[in-house]
Structures are given as C-alpha cells and as structure tokens.
C-alpha cells in the first residue's frame, strides 16, 4: 500500500491485436444483441427505431468507443486501469475528478448482479433443451410454466441455483487466469463459435419459408420489412430517441467503464482507431444483421405484427425463454436448434459478464497493489452476496432496479462525463493527437467537431430528456405494486452503500499518493 506506482508490479498485457479486438467485441456482443435489441426495436416501431439508432451510433456510440480506447490506453500508461485513476492522470490539477470515475466501476458491477444470473438460466436451458422434461413441456404448450418453475428458486438446491453457481464460478475462473490467459483466450474461442452459431440460426430463420404450422399469412421477409422499412415520423418522438441511444450504449458496452479497462492493457504504440472501429463494427454486425434476423422475423412470421409487438412488451426474458422455444418447437430438429440457440446466448453472455468485473479487479490490482488472486477472491465474495436478492426476489423489481441504476442512469451519466473530460478538460487538440498515436487509420476530420460539440450536446440532451421522461417516474416508483416497494427500496439502499464504499476506497487509494507528483 505504501509503494508508489513506479515500484508497483508490471501490468498485464494483451497477447495479440486480434485478441483484444475479440475481447472488446466479446464484451459488446451479449444478451443485448439477441434479446434487448429485438425488444427495443419491436416496441419502438421497427423501422422507426432504426433511424435514431444509426444516428446515435454515428454521433455517440462510435465516438465513445474511440474515447474509451484512447483514454484507457493513456491511463494504462500511468498504471491505471479504471476510471478514477484514468481521470486523475488526465487532469491531476483537480483532486475531485477521480471520484466521478467511481461511476465507471459501479455501473458494470450493478449490471453484473443480474446479468450473470440471467446468463446462468441459459446454461440451465442448454442442459434442459436436450431433456425429455423440456421437450414434453414444449409439446404440451407449457413452456411458460416451465420457465416460471425454473426461475422460482426456493432453495440452494433448486436447479436454477445450481446452474447459477456453476456460471458464477466459471466467470471467476476466467478472470482468475487474467487478461491474456483468461479473457483473451476465452474470447478467441467463444467469438468465432458465436458468430458461426449466429449465422446458422439466421439461415434457419430465413429459410423458414412457408412452414405449414405458421398460423399467420405473414412471411419471414415481412418481419425483415418491419425492421428495415424506415419510418421518418418517429424522429419526432423523444421516447424512440431515448430507447435507441440507450440500446447503442448498452450494446457497445460504452459509457460503462469496461472498455477503458480493457484498453488499459494495450501497449502505448498500439493502434486504437482501427481496432476500436473493428470491435464496434463486429458488434453492430452481430446486432443488426444477426440479432435482427432471428427473433423479429421469426416471431413476425409465426405470430403476426400485433402479437409480436405484444410479446416484445413482455420483455427480453419471455422472448428468449418462452417465445423462441415456442417457435423452435414448430420447426424440424427442434432439439438441435434449441440447444444451439441457448449455447449462442450463453457464449454471448459470458464474454460480456467477465468484462463487467474486470474494472473492479483492476482497481484492486492497480490502486492497492493487490494480487490478482486476492482481487478476484474479494470481488467474488462481494458480488456473490450482492447477487442473492436478484435470485431470491426475482419478479419483485430488483432486476429492473439494477438495470435502471447500472444500465441506464450510471451509463448516461458516465458517458457524458467521459466525453466532457476528453474533449474539454483534456482538450480536443491533445485528445486528437492521443487518438492518433500509433493509429493505422485516420479518424475523419469531421469527428473533431463531433467529439467536441455534437457528442456532448447529444448526451446532455439524452440525459435531461431521459431524466424527465423516464427517470423521475421510475425513481418515484410510479405504478409499482405496493408489495414490491420494500424490495426496490432495499435494492436502492444496497446500491447506495456500494457507491459509498467505492468512493471511500478511492479516497483510501489516493492517500498513498499524497504530496507525491504521481499520476
Ligand atoms: N454489451 C453487452 C450486451 O449487449 O449484452 C452488455 C454489457 C456488457 C453491459 C458490459 C455492460 C457492460 F459493462
């Protein structure tokens, strides 16, 4: 603890360029691409959603990707892998700035607390999809009951709990092996497999054609039309903009603090422009091309437009665990495709969930000089305890609460802060030079203007609009069942404590730097 940065141990590094791109793409490609995206698109009018989506991608998503790769690599050069240290090294003059970085650890941890549990359902379903119980439930039209039973955990011996333990341990084993031996190695295998599985699923859906069981006059291409026929009217609707921008952040894993941590393990001379763009492009391919060509067109053909939108309103979980199985039941080789579907989602999930915890682990390693093993152990114990409410109180609003504070609130706030830090505090000219160090491609000049003015304004607009339209009603628990309120308040208190602990830890970590001119 008393050691200063110069004496501290050598930081880990990525093994190869492809490795880091696949790891970042692995973080980005997740359940968000296959479940959250179709739900958001369907709820917001399909083709109406895609225009704000692409605008947000170009004006905020990709810029943030470049910002995070750049400041991550920059902070890594000073031995910092998390936002508090990175912000500090970008502007040492202000000693409060590092506290804003806390949000960049808080957000991903909050998301992990529910995300890892959902991911474990997928492991459970990979297993169940080849068992007679599951198939019988499907045939009897009772898959919704099956799902209800599965997630109703009554004891630590319930199947869902056992699959949760396995998934949880798996996440930590990967993290234990570190950046290169764990995260990179897994991403290098999981990502190509995932792409292949995605393509298989798309081909299957696109060739559904006229399945005799289809009870609607619709075809798969009608579903594609729903997503791809633009509707410019929706540009006037603030709600659609909020949903589209929110989806762009969530799916790219930007505005969270995770990409900066991954980028902090780059070498100074490594390119960030082309690598950042490649990882974003990979994610977008998997989201709009693959993710957009499975659930939406299939559900459209099988259930028709009205029912599909209604299903989407039921949320991502019912889409993935009830609707998709029902569709797969109607096609030949049900068992094979069900298995592949859940395997695809599980691989997408695990490469994302590991990225959510790396910031917290890096924080211990970098700022407290803790060994990796110890850091993994500490974070393991803490997150294990914190995850229990999401498991045992499922359906009582805990998951929504975690998603709201971690996946929306923290995210938009952190993204706004990050871009202001980069373009205004660090300064756009210096920032532009930093982006281009070692770059293998030049960022189009127009982005200098975008980064300085458009991205921050867009974000502030989203932040304010979202807060008024959705934030306030959510915080006031509008329309919430009275019985769920204690769970929601409990979650909020828990999250507040987590935030405070992180703030205190940042304070403790920086005590050792006092009176030292160390970044
Ligand atoms: N991008 C991931 C997805 O689309 O599922 C989700 C995610 C990953 C959120 C990493 C937050 C995070 F820190």
């Amino acid at each position: 603890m008393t050691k200063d940065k110069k004496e501290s141990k050598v930081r880990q590094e990525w093994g190869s360029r492809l490795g880091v791109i696949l790891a970042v793409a692995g973080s980005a490609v997740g359940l968000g691409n296959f479940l959250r995206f179709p739900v958001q698109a369907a709820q917001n009018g399909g083709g109406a959603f895609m225009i704000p989506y692409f605008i947000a991608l170009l004006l905020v998503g990709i810029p943030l990707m470049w910002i995070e790769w750049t400041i991550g690599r920059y902070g890594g050069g000073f031995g910092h892998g998390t936002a508090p240290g990175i912000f500090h090294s970008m502007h040492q003059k202000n000693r409060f700035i590092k506290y804003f970085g806390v949000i960049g650890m808080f957000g991903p941890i909050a998301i992990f607390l529910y995300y890892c549990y959902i991911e474990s359902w997928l492991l459970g379903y990979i297993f169940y999809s080849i068992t007679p119980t599951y198939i019988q439930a499907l045939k009897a039209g009772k898959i919704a009951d099956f799902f209800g039973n599965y997630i109703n955990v009554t004891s630590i011996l319930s199947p869902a709990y056992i699959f949760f333990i396995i998934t949880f341990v798996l996440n930590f084993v990967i993290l234990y092996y570190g950046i290169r031996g764990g995260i990179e190695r897994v991403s290098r295998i999981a990502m190509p497999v995932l792409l292949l599985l995605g393509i298989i699923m798309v081909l299957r859906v696109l060739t559904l054609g006229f399945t005799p069981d289809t009870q609607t006059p619709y075809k798969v291409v009608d579903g594609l039309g729903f997503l791809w026929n633009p509707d410019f009217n929706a540009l006037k609707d603030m709600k659609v903009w909020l949903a589209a921008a929110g989806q762009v952040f969530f799916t790219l894993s930007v505005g969270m603090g995770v990409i900066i941590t991954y980028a902090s393990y780059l070498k100074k001379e490594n390119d960030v422009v082309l690598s950042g763009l490649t990882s974003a492009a990979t994610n977008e391919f998997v989201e709009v091309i693959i993710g957009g060509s499975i659930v939406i067109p299939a559900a459209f053909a099988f259930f028709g437009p009205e029912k599909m939108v209604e299903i989407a309103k039921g949320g991502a979980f019912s889409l993935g665990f009830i609707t998709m199985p029902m569709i797969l039941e109607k096609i030949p080789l049900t068992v094979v495709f069900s298995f592949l579907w859940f395997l695809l989602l599980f691989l997408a999930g695990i490469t994302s969930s590991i990225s959510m915890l790396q910031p917290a682990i890096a924080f211990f390693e970098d700022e407290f000089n803790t060994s990796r093993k110890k850091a993994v152990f500490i974070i393991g114990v803490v997150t294990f305890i914190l995850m229990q409410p999401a498991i045992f109180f499922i359906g009582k609003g805990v998951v929504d609460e975690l998603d709201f504070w971690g996946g929306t609130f923290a995210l938009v706030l952190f993204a706004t802060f990050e871009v202001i830090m980069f373009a205004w505090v660090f300064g756009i000219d210096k920032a532009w030079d930093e982006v281009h160090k070692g770059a293998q491609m030049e960022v189009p000049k127009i982005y200098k203007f975008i980064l300085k003015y458009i991205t921050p304004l867009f974000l502030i607009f989203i932040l304010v609009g979202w807060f008024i339209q959705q934030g306030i009603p959510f915080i006031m628990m509008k329309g919430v069942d009275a019985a769920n309120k204690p769970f929601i308040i409990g979650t909020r208190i828990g999250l507040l404590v987590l935030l405070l602990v992180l703030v205190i830890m940042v304070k403790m970590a920086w005590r050792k730097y006092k009176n030292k001119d160390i970044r």
Side-chain angles (χ1 to χ4, degrees), residues 83-141:
I86 294 174
F87 287 170
H88 179 71
S89 52
M90 288 168 76
H91 188 66
Q92 296 144 277
K93 273 183 239 140
N94 187 325
R95 60 196 181 91
F96 293 109
I97 232 149
K98 56 183 177 287
Y99 292 102
F100 287 95
V102 165
I103 315 169
M105 289 191 287
F106 168 82
I109 297 176
I111 299 176
F112 180 86
L113 299 181
Y114 74 89
Y115 198 96
C116 177
Y117 182 47
I118 312 299
E119 185 183 309
S120 79
W121 297 354
L122 294 159
L123 188 67
Y125 269 62
I126 291 175
F127 168 77
Y128 278 115
S129 64
I130 50 174
T131 60
T133 342
Y134 175 87
I135 297 159
Q136 275 156 17
L138 257 187
K139 294 237 150 66

Side-chain angles (χ1 to χ4, degrees), residues 407-429:
T408 315
F409 187 75
L411 187 158
V412 190
L413 204 62
F414 187 71
T416 310
F417 193 73
E418 222 174 19
V419 73
I420 293 172
M421 265 306 282
F422 187 71
W424 292 87
V425 178
F426 195 62
I428 192 69
D429 291 321

Side-chain angles (χ1 to χ4, degrees), residues 24-34 36 104 107-109 111-112 114-115 247-259 283 287 348-349 351-357 359 406-407 411:
V24 173
S27 168
V29 174
L31 306 182
N33 299 53
F34 297 99
R36 196 179 190 276
I109 297 176
I111 299 176
F112 180 86
Y114 74 89
Y115 198 96
Q247 176 60 20
V248 167
F249 298 132
F250 190 88
T251 186
L252 286 174
S253 303
V254 293
M256 322 256 182
V258 300
I259 307 292
N283 179 70
E287 175 140 306
T351 46
S352 296
S353 60
I354 49 176
S355 75
M356 295 170 198
L357 294 184
L411 187 158

Side-chain angles (χ1 to χ4, degrees), residues 344-486:
L344 163 70
L345 291 186
F346 181 72
L347 292 178
I350 195 158
T351 46
S352 296
S353 60
I354 49 176
S355 75
M356 295 170 198
L357 294 184
Q358 187 56 34
I361 291 169
F363 182 70
F364 273 99
E365 287 186 272
D366 297 334
E367 315 302 357
F368 288 98
N369 249 321
T370 313
S371 71
R372 183 164 79 230
K373 279 185 209 162
K374 208 164 150 199
V376 169
F377 181 76
I378 296 169
I379 305 295
V381 172
V382 172
T383 49
F384 185 81
I385 296 168
L386 294 179
M387 283 188 75
Q388 302 308 310
I391 300 172
F392 286 99
F393 305 140
I394 192 99
K396 301 211 188 306
V398 178
V399 169
D400 290 342
E401 216 42 48
L402 294 171
D403 187 48
F404 175 85
W405 296 105
T408 315
F409 187 75
L411 187 158
V412 190
L413 204 62
F414 187 71
T416 310
F417 193 73
E418 222 174 19
V419 73
I420 293 172
M421 265 306 282
F422 187 71
W424 292 87
V425 178
F426 195 62
I428 192 69
D429 291 321
K430 207 168 146 200
W432 195 253
D433 287 345
E434 192 58 38
V435 169
H436 287 98
K437 284 194 180 140
Q440 297 195 333
M441 176 194 139
E442 217 174 304
V443 177
K445 262 265 145 56
I446 176 89
Y447 268 99
K448 200 166 174 183
F449 177 78
I450 294 179
L451 278 168
K452 187 161 180 190
Y453 300 103
I454 310 288
T455 313
L457 280 176
F458 193 116
L459 276 165
I460 291 169
F461 177 72
I462 293 288
L463 187 63
V464 174
W466 162 80
F467 194 71
I468 295 170
Q469 221 183 48
Q470 290 164 14
I472 295 174
F474 190 91
I475 292 167
M476 304 309 284
M477 296 190 277
K478 240 182 154 180
V480 166
D481 200 341
N484 288 349
K485 285 190 180 165

